[in-house]
Amino acid sequence: MARVFNFSAGPAVLPEDVLQQARDEMLDWHGSGTSVMEMSHRGKEFISIAEQAEADLRELMGIPANYKVLFLQGGASAQFAMVPMNLLRGKTSADYINTGEWSKKAIGEAKKFGKVNLAGSSESSKFTSVPMQNELKLDPNAAYVHYTPNETIGGVEFPYLPATGNVPLIADMSSSILSRPIDVSKFGMIYAGAQKNIGPSGLTVVIVRDDLLGQTVAGTPSMFDYKIHADNGSMYNTPPTYGWYIAGLVFAALKRKGGLKAMAEVNDRKAKKLYNYIDASGGFYKNPVAVNCRSCMNVPFTLKSDALDEPFLKGAKAANLVQLKGHRSVGGMRASIYNAMPEAGIDALITYMQDFAKRNG
Ligand SMILES: *Cc1c(COP(=O)(O)O)cnc(C)c1O
């Protein structure tokens, strides 16, 4: 069986040892005689899986005790609405930093519930950078500040953690969670769709400071209320059990590999190699992002001519390098190199890019 190197932005590559373990446990989880997919979410087997996953995530990220960890559905896109519904807390406006396609979507949903103050934007530079701290126009009376630490489509990552004083900082960390250590206590809330760096699609992880809960806007449905999910251990209704289980296997694998500090070292090395090659390609390949804002997880690049895109993708596929086509809104190529992309995948991609440039230069 040949596995390819999968550069998809999401759903994305998963660690091979995790997939193997899931296969081995598929029909009979730990002598239970059932697959995890067939278990009651309220039975002791699944409760043990769920609790272990949360404990491992808390350990990996150093999540303080006064934060709730929720395992929800609806993707990051549902959070775009749940954040204002839950966190406006009677205030009239929230600050948003606009750094690309995902920020824009979050802003669009927030506007349905309150006033959005654009605290910073990199739209004038076509989202090839992020506003620096001294450029932010933060409102001390805002309910919260929302930003996107890593813009998956543009390949733009914040090189700093915005300081927001007493105003809670909210992060859509869908494509960068678990890629390096962060100080969770600096955030009011972190959320992430699972399908980039955690596990399968269908699961959304929310990490939220408990004092922010319980002040939803009038009419908030129960399923959109963090407090209801927190009070019920994310089992107010049937949670995405299989995704939760796979996420738990990924967390355990990250612990075995040395945790987030070890991941950051590998991720930095992988990204540096690829950017260094792009910059040294004599203009054959180009990445448009300001050097200090380049994403460690998503590397967009263009070729010398658009006419080379199709032959590049075709040759890549033949070399077992797949899902390199850029997002439809930006074109060109994008290599997503999440935690589970082995370093050998980067080496294989660079070798192919060198060869392609030589043949078409
Ligand atoms: C993928 C992605 C989303 C959308 O996630 P869904 O789970 O499809 O809703 C939102 N924000 C960021 C930063 C993403 O990378």
Side-chain angles (χ1 to χ4, degrees), residues 28-39:
D28 175 11
W29 183 84
H30 296 201
S32 65
T34 63
S35 167
V36 175
M37 263 181 264
E38 304 167 305
M39 286 175 183

Side-chain angles (χ1 to χ4, degrees), residues 14-350:
L14 284 165
E16 204 163 299
D17 53 351
V18 164
L19 295 175
Q20 280 162 350
Q21 187 178 348
R23 176 198 60 198
D24 293 345
E25 297 177 345
M26 176 63 77
L27 297 189
D28 175 11
W29 183 84
H30 296 201
S32 65
T34 63
S35 167
V36 175
M37 263 181 264
E38 304 167 305
M39 286 175 183
S40 163
H41 55 296
R42 306 202 188 278
K44 69 175 188 333
E45 287 96 350
F46 187 76
I47 297 283
S48 75
I49 289 169
E51 286 179 350
Q52 189 63 50
E54 179 175 336
D56 285 345
L57 181 63
R58 282 184 177 276
E59 184 182 330
L60 278 170
M61 293 183 70
I63 300 173
N66 62 325
Y67 284 72
K68 301 288 186 190
V69 177
L70 309 177
F71 292 83
L72 307 180
Q73 303 184 56
S77 300
Q79 295 310 311
F80 294 161
M82 284 171 76
V83 164
M85 286 171 124
N86 284 268
L87 303 183
L88 277 172
R89 294 169 295 129
K91 296 183 186 262
T92 50
S93 82
D95 285 356
Y96 276 74
I97 305 175
N98 181 15
T99 51
E101 298 307 317
W102 293 118
S103 308
K104 276 200 217 167
K105 287 209 160 149
I107 289 168
E109 288 297 288
K111 281 182 173 166
K112 296 176 180 173
F113 299 96
K115 196 172 146 287
V116 166
N117 169 44
L118 201 58
S121 171
S122 53
E123 190 150 24
S124 61
S125 77
K126 297 208 171 88
F127 299 123
T128 54
S129 63
V130 305
M132 291 297 139
Q133 178 76 47
N134 63 356
E135 300 171 282
L136 299 179
K137 295 192 173 62
L138 299 170
D139 171 6
N141 295 314
Y144 58 83
V145 180
H146 180 282
Y147 84 122
T148 312
N150 184 66
E151 283 281 358
T152 320
I153 293 172
V156 175
E157 191 163 354
F158 272 73
Y160 71 100
L161 184 77
T164 58
N166 290 326
V167 180
L169 178 64
I170 315 296
D172 173 4
M173 227 175 259
S174 292
S175 53
S176 55
I177 192 167
L178 300 175
S179 64
R180 63 189 63 254
I182 54 160
D183 182 352
V184 175
S185 73
K186 295 275 198 295
F187 295 85
M189 176 186 153
I190 292 165
Y191 63 94
Q195 67 273 21
K196 277 79 183 235
N197 232 357
I198 297 178
S201 59
L203 170 71
T204 314
V205 172
V206 168
I207 301 163
V208 60
R209 217 174 64 208
D210 58 12
D211 63 286
L212 299 174
L213 302 182
Q215 300 167 71
T216 51
V217 297
T220 297
S222 302
M223 276 298 288
F224 298 161
D225 186 334
Y226 296 140
K227 183 157 195 311
I228 289 181
H229 288 295
D231 288 347
N232 289 279
S234 303
M235 296 198 193
Y236 172 70
N237 74 325
T238 315
T241 51
Y242 200 74
W244 194 333
Y245 155 72
I246 298 285
L249 298 187
V250 170
F251 301 152
L254 288 174
K255 276 175 58 182
R256 286 197 299 277
K257 286 169 194 160
L260 301 194
K261 226 169 137 233
M263 288 323 299
E265 271 170 39
V266 178
N267 287 331
D268 286 341
R269 199 162 62 227
K270 279 156 52 184
K272 202 166 161 206
K273 252 190 204 177
L274 186 49
Y275 286 116
N276 280 351
Y277 171 65
I278 290 169
D279 291 344
S281 68
F284 191 92
Y285 301 105
K286 278 198 181 113
N287 168 276
V289 179
V291 171
N292 66 333
C293 302
R294 283 173 163 180
S295 168
C296 248
M297 295 280 104
N298 310 95
V299 182
F301 59 91
T302 52
L303 275 60
K304 198 177 65 174
S305 143
D306 293 352
L308 292 171
D309 286 359
E310 280 312 311
F312 180 90
L313 289 166
K314 215 170 143 219
K317 186 148 191 283
N320 281 335
L321 308 165
V322 307
Q323 300 287 343
L324 283 161
K325 195 174 163 67
H327 190 270
R328 58 188 182 279
S329 66
V330 291
M333 305 297 148
R334 174 176 48 170
S336 293
I337 54 173
Y338 300 118
N339 282 351
M341 171 57 65
E343 210 162 343
I346 308 296
D347 295 336
L349 176 60
I350 292 172

